[in-house]
Amino acid sequence: MPSKKKKKKSIPKLKASPKRKTPQKAMDLSELQSELDRVRAELSRKEAKVIHLETLMLMQMAKLQVMQEVQRVSSGNFSVREMLELFMDVTLRTTNTDAGSVMLVDHDAQELVFEVVRGPRSDALKDIRVKIGDGIAGWVAKTGQSVLSDDVTKDHRFTGEVAKKIKFTPHSILCVPLKGKSKVLGVLEVITRDLKKPFSYDDLSAMESLASQIGMVMENAGLFSQHNEEIRRLEALTAASGVVNSTLDLKVLLKLLMELAAKTLQAEASSILLVDEETGDLIFEVATGEKSEQMKEIRVPKGAGIAGAVADTCKPLLIPDASKDDRFFRKADEKSSFVTRNMIAVPLVARGVCIGVMEVLNRLGHGTFSNEDMELLQALGHQSAIALQNARLYENLQESFVSTVRSLAQAVDAKDSYTAGHSSRVTQYSVLVAEELKCNPDEIRNLRMSGLLHDVGKIGIRDNVLSKPGQLDDAEFLIMKTHPSVGASILKPVRQLRDVIPGVLNHHERYDGRGYPSGLKGEEIPLAGRILGIADAFDAMTSDRVYRPRLSDDVAIAELKKHSGTQFDSRIVKAFLSVYEKGLIKTQPSSFNNAN
């Protein structure tokens, strides 16, 4: 069978889809503008978010720096000034401006003081003070509330007084209080003149956050400062007690007290004025500083000047600006060429009576004295008044004692008309030599008493020996040689004169060991004995004696030189000659007439 061919199935042809036309709907201008606005808004939101994040980052960095400062304050390793400088810089970076200030409250004066200033005309602000309540900063300090002023010219709180003084007017101001736990300590302020960049509430929030941290640090610093102030007070009073107990010499005591006051209160100068009991005038008894010598020549009339007011009322005065005080005694500055800027004056009261005034003048640096400084000076003044009273009593007792000793010395000299005044002259010469040798005040005081009493033992010498008109024989000389030992025996029971005995006992010892009463040699002889020995010999040679007229000064000086190193200590002879050549030693003319 014939094979059948298979028929191929035909694939139906697909009909091509008709081409669709894409609708070309053109956007009108309004739609295009809307889309553009949408994109711009989105970009603005993103930019704002970035700026917000940057601000948050700056705030966090600032907070971190502040917290680091808090830690530094807690450890005590800080300077308040440095701390506020740092805070100001952090605030300027955070608010993206370059001008601002930290103002601290002076609670006593009820004023704001510019402590740290940045920006144009910053130097002009250093001496300006703002009353609490005046202007935006004063309002913030008074109310404790923050201020964001977009346009200060429209702000009723803006007075423009500070702007006029420094010739700089801001456009916007951010001002926030620096608060402690119970009071406003100051204000933090930033300003800008850029009209296109006013401050925002984010800036205000950032500043308030910083201010809260700064306030805490300042309060901690204040507590630390109070602690330091109390330590300073205790140290000063302890030092004053040491000064008071160190000496009863009035001039030395006053000088030490004034040096302590100037150092403790960081003053350029200090002084003590004592009341003249007869006139009521104030006399500069002691002063420190460059013009101290000129100040000592000045008398302040009763009731005159700030010191006079303090003396009259027995109340202290703190003077922040002496040039503006009508009571200020300007003649003192004119005479001394000293310029008084500020000062504290406190009364020195003993037994209810004002005996003087203590002053400190010109706080070092640019600051002024504080109430705490005045309280400290009052405490020093109280101790000083007691010390002065005690020193005066001691001085009066000493004067009475010395007067008694002088009377005794005169009684000894009166036994022989030819030795009248001998003890006083020996005392004068000896003190001059001791001062030339730089002896200390106690040594000089004892030497003065020794000089007056060096011949007191002659009271026990018979008149026929003491006043013999001629040379003594050996027996008489032995009697005369006992007067140093007799003098020491007379003085020994008197406790106040025990330090005087070495000079009295040894003024006839010789440097070569051939003297009396003990034959001491060289440095074995007490210094007072060696000094008195030379003074006694010189006056004996230059005074009239019953058996001869006085020798000339030249002959006496030649004798001292001749016996230097044998009878006399050569070092003391040298000192004596130095004093003589200065014209300080004056001898008496001879009482013998020419006929003799």
Side-chain angles (χ1 to χ4, degrees), residues 166-221:
I166 66 171
K167 298 178 182 179
F168 178 88
T169 303
H171 180 263
S172 300
I173 287 180
L174 261 182
C175 191
V176 299
L178 302 174
K179 296 180 181 179
K181 290 181 180 179
S182 58
K183 61 184 178 182
V184 175
L185 305 173
V187 297
L188 177 63
E189 182 181 72
V190 291
I191 61 176
T192 181
R193 296 183 75 177
D194 192 340
L195 303 182
K196 297 179 181 179
K197 293 183 179 180
F199 295 115
S200 67
Y201 282 97
D202 283 341
D203 294 326
L204 177 61
S205 176
M207 267 188 66
E208 286 179 333
S209 179
L210 284 174
S212 66
Q213 299 293 329
I214 296 171
M216 180 177 68
V217 172
M218 287 177 64
E219 188 156 62
N220 288 344

Side-chain angles (χ1 to χ4, degrees), residues 286-544:
V286 65
T288 65
E290 291 185 2
K291 306 295 183 178
S292 58
E293 291 305 313
Q294 294 91 322
M295 297 295 287
K296 291 177 185 178
E297 300 173 2
I298 298 170
R299 289 178 72 99
V300 179
K302 177 177 169 55
I306 291 166
V310 170
D312 281 353
T313 62
C314 270
K315 293 182 179 179
L317 285 174
L318 170 60
I319 310 298
D321 188 344
S323 66
K324 296 180 181 178
D325 197 298
D326 293 337
R327 296 165 297 188
F328 179 58
F329 187 66
R330 288 169 174 77
K331 289 183 180 178
D333 274 14
E334 291 169 3
K335 288 183 179 180
S336 64
S337 300
F338 184 83
V339 179
T340 302
R341 300 191 310 274
N342 44 65
M343 64 187 294
I344 304 173
V346 300
L348 301 176
V349 181
R351 297 181 181 177
V353 177
C354 183
I355 61 173
V357 176
M358 177 183 281
E359 296 180 335
V360 289
L361 302 96
N362 294 353
R363 183 66 178 263
L364 294 175
H366 297 291
T368 58
F369 296 109
S370 65
N371 283 329
E372 289 77 14
D373 292 327
M374 184 168 69
E375 290 174 3
L376 178 54
L377 190 63
Q378 278 183 279
L380 288 174
H382 177 68
Q383 285 204 338
S384 299
I386 295 172
L388 284 173
Q389 191 75 351
N390 291 339
R392 278 181 165 179
L393 290 172
Y394 178 76
E395 196 173 64
N396 291 338
L397 286 172
Q398 285 291 98
E399 287 178 3
S400 298
F401 187 65
V402 171
S403 295
T404 302
V405 170
R406 285 187 186 279
S407 297
L408 183 58
Q410 289 169 4
V412 173
D413 288 350
K415 291 193 72 177
D416 184 349
S417 60
Y418 282 95
T419 61
H422 169 69
S423 296
S424 294
R425 292 191 297 274
V426 169
T427 300
Q428 178 192 357
Y429 303 162
S430 298
V431 168
L432 288 170
V433 171
E435 289 173 345
E436 182 73 14
L437 292 170
K438 309 298 183 187
C439 293
N440 65 51
D442 288 337
E443 289 175 323
I444 293 173
R445 182 168 52 251
N446 289 332
L447 186 62
R448 180 178 286 109
M449 299 294 284
S450 297
L452 290 171
L453 294 171
H454 77 284
D455 276 344
V456 70
K458 288 183 178 179
I459 289 176
I461 305 299
R462 297 196 309 267
D463 289 346
N464 65 329
V465 174
L466 189 64
S467 303
K468 182 179 178 180
Q471 293 290 337
L472 300 177
D473 60 31
D474 291 343
E476 291 167 337
F477 187 58
L478 286 174
I479 294 172
M480 183 62 75
K481 288 169 64 175
T482 64
H483 82 271
S485 300
V486 173
S489 298
I490 292 172
L491 301 180
K492 189 174 181 180
V494 184
R495 183 174 57 83
Q496 293 90 337
L497 295 175
R498 287 177 184 171
D499 291 334
V500 173
I501 291 174
V504 172
L505 181 62
N506 299 293
H507 70 279
H508 279 295
E509 297 288 357
R510 288 173 50 117
Y511 204 68
D512 57 10
R514 296 170 60 189
Y516 60 88
S518 304
L520 300 180
K521 185 177 181 180
E523 299 293 321
E524 294 175 351
I525 308 169
L527 179 62
R530 282 176 274 151
I531 293 174
L532 285 169
I534 292 178
D536 184 52
F538 182 79
D539 187 67
M541 287 187 285
T542 56
S543 298
D544 291 329

Side-chain angles (χ1 to χ4, degrees), residues 77-103:
N77 180 27
F78 77 103
S79 159
V80 174
R81 175 77 185 192
E82 291 175 349
M83 174 186 73
L84 294 177
E85 296 270 2
L86 169 68
F87 289 154
M88 188 74 259
D89 293 338
V90 169
T91 302
L92 294 178
R93 288 199 301 272
T94 303
T95 55
N96 194 27
T97 187
D98 60 359
S101 63
V102 175
M103 305 170 72

Side-chain angles (χ1 to χ4, degrees), residues 112 131-147 156-157 187:
L112 283 169
K131 287 288 183 183
I132 301 296
D134 288 356
I136 291 176
W139 185 88
V140 171
K142 182 177 181 180
T143 64
Q145 299 178 34
S146 301
V147 168
H156 69 279
R157 293 162 296 199
V187 297

Side-chain angles (χ1 to χ4, degrees), residues 265-300:
L265 294 164
Q266 300 175 44
E268 182 182 342
S270 59
S271 59
I272 285 181
L273 299 89
L274 297 183
V275 176
D276 184 325
E277 294 179 0
E278 293 183 2
T279 64
D281 293 350
L282 287 168
I283 305 167
F284 280 91
E285 187 68 24
V286 65
T288 65
E290 291 185 2
K291 306 295 183 178
S292 58
E293 291 305 313
Q294 294 91 322
M295 297 295 287
K296 291 177 185 178
E297 300 173 2
I298 298 170
R299 289 178 72 99
V300 179

